[in-house]
Amino acid sequence: YARDGWTFHGKGIWCYLDQELPQLTMIGSPNYGYRSIYRDLEAQVTLIPGSDALRAAIHREAQDLRAYARPVDIAELRKRSRAAPLWLHGLRPLIQNKM
């Protein structure tokens, strides 16, 4: 999400299944990583809209989010500004908690 003066973290899942309007969406925080499954308290709902009006509203919301989005490629992820500081790598074994 890239908009001057804004800081925003967003993600979503919209399933269109070869149709113009989504048949399914996930609301909340659809994370499936280790930390999200075992450590964090996160809520999410899978919604199957029953009306075309709701499907259209969900579609507009997705379009509005994409209007300010841009693709992130491997070059972006490798930028030095995204790297964790070296001291954090040294501290990691001490603070990492395994189940």
Side-chain angles (χ1 to χ4, degrees), residues 52-69:
D52 285 342
L54 182 54
R55 290 172 60 211
I58 292 168
H59 176 69
R60 284 190 304 273
E61 177 80 15
Q63 285 181 313
D64 289 346
L65 288 171
R66 287 188 204 110
Y68 294 101

Side-chain angles (χ1 to χ4, degrees), residues 28-86:
S29 187
N31 292 317
Y32 298 108
Y34 177 87
R35 193 183 92 194
S36 296
I37 292 171
Y38 296 106
R39 297 285 180 211
D40 296 343
L41 177 61
E42 299 189 13
Q44 68 184 25
V45 171
T46 300
L47 177 66
I48 301 172
S51 73
D52 285 342
L54 182 54
R55 290 172 60 211
I58 292 168
H59 176 69
R60 284 190 304 273
E61 177 80 15
Q63 285 181 313
D64 289 346
L65 288 171
R66 287 188 204 110
Y68 294 101
R70 63 179 171 80
V72 175
D73 58 16
I74 196 69
E76 174 73 24
L77 295 175
R78 288 186 176 151
K79 284 184 179 177
R80 187 160 186 78
S81 62
R82 292 188 171 271
L86 289 177

